Amino acid sequence: MDHLIANAEILIIGGSETTASLLSGVTYLLLQNPDAYQNLRDEVRSTFRNQDEINLISVNKLTYMLACLDEGLRMYPPIANGLPRMCPRGGCTVLGHFIPENVGLVLMS
């Protein structure tokens, strides 16, 4: 049963439309924040002279865009369930509540 549950979790996460969901979430968040949208637009337009310069290597130099995508992943995670974490040795405090070590946590944004 443990193997079935583990495989089901992988299929649910793997079968999610992660890229489309992330881009939808980031677009929504950028449209809610015109200053962030303008900063991103300025970065892209000042970095490239034409679309032929845009490729997998060159877009990795767009630090503001990468920060927007990272924040989008934090605010709008495109997975079917929360992000699993294991409480570290000695325990930790989450939202004012102590959690003992080795307790599994699911963090939802």
Side-chain angles (χ1 to χ4, degrees):
M1 186 55 91
D2 289 340
H3 291 296
L4 289 174
I5 291 170
N7 284 333
E9 289 175 349
I10 290 169
L11 290 173
I12 289 170
I13 292 171
S16 299
E17 280 293 324
T18 53
T19 302
S21 295
L22 171 63
L23 293 176
S24 295
V26 169
T27 300
Y28 170 79
L29 293 169
L30 284 168
L31 292 174
Q32 297 299 308
N33 187 334
D35 291 337
Y37 172 74
Q38 184 67 45
N39 289 340
L40 178 58
R41 195 177 106 178
D42 292 346
E43 179 183 58
V44 171
R45 291 190 177 176
S46 67
T47 302
F48 304 111
R49 289 176 295 213
N50 61 58
Q51 67 183 24
D52 294 331
E53 295 179 352
I54 301 172
N55 59 51
L56 187 60
I57 307 243
S58 64
V59 296
N60 279 302
K61 297 175 184 170
L62 299 173
T63 56
Y64 193 79
M65 182 197 71
L66 294 174
C68 288
L69 292 171
D70 285 345
E71 182 66 0
L73 284 167
R74 187 184 74 82
M75 295 288 295
Y76 194 81
I79 56 175
N81 58 359
L83 301 171
R85 300 287 186 262
M86 185 63 67
C87 196
R89 184 183 313 160
C92 62
T93 301
V94 177
L95 297 173
H97 299 280
F98 179 76
I99 310 294
E101 65 184 65
N102 295 324
V103 170
L105 304 170
V106 176
L107 302 177
M108 305 297 280
S109 58

